[in-house]
Amino acid sequence: MTETPAHTSLWPAPHASGPVFATVHVPGSKSVTNRALVLAALAAEPGWLRRPLRSRDTLLMAAALRAMGVGIEEGVGPDGSGEAWRVIPSGLRGPAAVDVGNAGTVMRFLPPVAALADGPVRFDGDPRSYERPLNGVIDALRVLGARIDDDNRGSLPMTVHGGGALDGGRVEIDASSSSQFVSALLLSAPRFNQGVEVRHVGGPLPSMPHIRMTVDMLRTVGAQVDTPESGGEPNVWRVTSGALLGRDLTVEPDLSNAQPFLAAALVTGGKVIVPDWPERTTQPGDRLREIFTLMGGSCELTEQGLEFTGSGSVHGIDVDLSEVGELTPGIAAVAALADSPSTLRGVAHLRLHETDRLAALTKEINELGGDVTETADGLHIRPRRLHGGIFHTYDDHRMATAGAIIGLAVPGVEIENVGTTAKTLPDFPDLWAGMLGN
């Protein structure tokens, strides 16, 4: 694991002098925004995307689709009700160059799209993107008829030689390192000549809610999808070839990005309201209501939104996070401040995320005086009295917000490169200061 350069500026994490009471408007979901952009780009007619997230990952997705010929116009919705993007599909084409940054959704969702383009599409990104596995998508696309030049690395950089169409059909993949391998194939499958049958053959699938999100959104735009939940075979998904509809879609708030704000109420014994929290959602972040309640808080869905209240006490937890791994950094930060030990299980795949999140959390919390040990598939956290110091982020947005949570309760914490939060949560420092009334 390589640390971020030491010259990156330090951000003094604000220390809470008392309970936090605030209403925080959380920006739209990255996961929903980027899936919606792909589906709209593949549709047979234009569509609207309302309240999209504008962050590094989503702007990289939009730029990549534009490079392949898709029209994406930024403005206000047809009724003047706030920011919206108009997505105008057209013939996908190369040559094109795609910068994925370090966005898993861009590097994995777009190679199947590129296989439908007429011409070559070159994929490149940040140095860390070279270390993130892509073999599940690359190998599957080759079986389905695509031509890809990756020098047999199974990772970036690579070129997809689009032929204007893709046969599709049946394919077996091991998606145990990332559920995005499954979502990537399903999202483009309606445009494959034969659709697709994806069969997962490997260890437990992480982040299943994200696959359910993909299926739900496909059905919203008219795709026919058979899943294990709808009576199909276990670990098999089938998408029928057919036209996708242009839709008028409103993006939900990013519930995973609500995590640090709910955690603020929990660790300070305060109350935070997140407006527009959906009653029904496929977002993994909805599990926060259950997990943070077990750790000492209480919550209620009201007309104002989700009201989350801390009790003044934070309890340890033993929890399987395999379906909601992205919540692990924030939960680990809260657990480091608890009154009893915690065990976080089922998240071995986090070693392959933006950074090795398990190693990073262990190192950074321990350097503030904590007692965290890695297990085969997670973390064991024994609370200790923490002290100030530098909390490194490794260019990982969720590491930055985890450090900010600890900083609420521990004076003198400085976050290295808090700007990395722009990946999914623009203006996080301002939102954080606003929550604290600063």
Side-chain angles (χ1 to χ4, degrees):
M1 186 175 61
T2 303
E3 292 186 8
T4 321
H7 63 260
T8 307
S9 61
L10 299 178
W11 178 68
H15 180 62
S17 56
V20 169
F21 296 96
T23 296
V24 180
H25 291 267
V26 176
S29 164
K30 175 204 73 174
S31 298
V32 172
T33 299
N34 274 357
R35 283 166 173 77
L37 281 170
V38 172
L39 292 172
L42 296 174
E45 57 195 349
W48 286 96
L49 186 57
R50 298 174 188 259
R51 293 171 57 182
L53 175 67
R54 287 182 56 87
S55 72
R56 187 185 187 214
D57 280 17
T58 61
L59 293 175
L60 285 168
M61 179 68 84
L65 291 169
R66 287 188 182 109
M68 287 187 272
V70 178
I72 302 176
E73 301 173 352
E74 302 183 37
V76 296
D79 55 3
S81 59
E83 183 173 10
W85 292 352
R86 179 74 162 165
V87 182
I88 305 167
S90 68
L92 298 167
R93 63 179 183 270
V98 169
D99 175 11
V100 309
N102 191 20
T105 52
V106 181
M107 71 179 73
R108 291 166 181 152
F109 292 177
L110 287 188
V113 177
L116 298 168
D118 186 6
V121 181
R122 176 73 172 171
F123 288 81
D124 208 338
D126 298 351
R128 170 63 182 171
S129 71
Y130 293 8
E131 303 172 28
R132 301 185 69 181
L134 267 179
N135 54 296
V137 174
I138 293 171
D139 294 346
L141 285 174
R142 285 180 173 142
V143 170
L144 297 174
R147 186 162 69 93
I148 300 173
D149 177 13
D150 69 333
D151 292 332
N152 295 316
R153 287 184 304 270
S155 62
L156 294 177
M158 68 179 187
T159 299
V160 178
H161 296 276
L166 195 66
D167 291 338
R170 297 181 178 180
V171 66
E172 293 185 349
I173 63 171
D174 180 355
S176 56
S177 62
S178 176
S179 69
Q180 290 176 350
F181 294 166
V182 175
S183 288
L185 297 171
L186 300 185
L187 285 168
S188 292
R191 289 283 303 273
F192 299 168
N193 294 338
Q194 303 172 41
V196 81
E197 177 185 296
V198 179
R199 185 178 297 268
H200 165 63
V201 289
L205 260 175
S207 305
M208 277 297 295
H210 279 124
I211 296 179
R212 289 194 282 270
M213 176 187 292
T214 297
V215 170
D216 190 59
M217 294 183 68
L218 275 162
R219 288 172 172 161
T220 296
V221 296
Q224 182 179 327
V225 189
D226 295 321
T227 70
E229 291 87 353
S230 60
E233 296 178 60
N235 292 325
V236 177
W237 293 263
R238 296 183 180 89
V239 180
T240 303
S241 178
L244 297 178
L245 306 173
R247 288 296 198 199
D248 187 332
L249 175 70
T250 299
V251 178
E252 299 172 351
D254 192 315
L255 306 188
S256 295
N257 278 340
Q259 181 180 40
F261 305 101
L262 302 183
L266 182 57
V267 304
T268 68
K271 179 176 177 179
V272 167
I273 299 172
V274 178
D276 302 317
W277 194 286
E279 290 187 20
R280 175 192 171 274
T281 181
T282 52
Q283 288 193 60
D286 197 43
R287 276 281 304 280
L288 287 168
R289 293 192 287 165
E290 169 200 344
I291 293 168
F292 278 174
T293 295
L294 291 172
M295 298 186 81
S298 61
C299 64
E300 182 182 5
L301 269 177
T302 71
E303 290 182 359
Q304 284 71 44
L306 180 71
E307 296 185 3
F308 188 86
T309 306
S311 63
S313 298
V314 181
H315 310 310
I317 191 171
D318 186 329
V319 62
D320 184 339
L321 298 176
S322 57
E323 290 205 346
V324 292
E326 66 194 50
L327 304 180
T328 302
I331 293 169
V334 173
L337 304 169
D339 57 15
S340 57
S342 294
T343 299
L344 313 183
R345 295 177 282 106
V347 288
H349 60 286
L350 294 189
R351 295 187 169 100
L352 299 171
H353 274 226
E354 280 82 345
T355 187
D356 179 341
R357 285 179 170 166
L358 300 184
L361 287 164
T362 300
K363 180 176 184 294
E364 297 310 313
I365 294 174
N366 287 350
E367 289 195 352
L368 299 182
D371 185 359
V372 182
T373 53
E374 285 191 59
T375 65
D377 71 339
L379 299 173
H380 187 62
I381 302 168
R382 290 163 291 272
R384 296 285 186 269
R385 184 177 181 86
L386 302 182
H387 55 72
I390 297 175
F391 194 94
H392 296 92
T393 65
Y394 310 89
D395 288 328
D396 186 333
H397 55 132
R398 301 208 191 278
M399 286 295 295
T401 52
I405 292 167
I406 293 174
L408 286 175
V410 180
V413 174
E414 295 183 293
I415 311 297
E416 168 266 335
N417 189 20
V418 73
T420 193
T421 52
K423 176 181 171 68
T424 62
L425 188 52
D427 306 319
F428 169 74
D430 289 341
L431 284 170
W432 199 244
M435 175 190 69
L436 294 168
N438 296 344

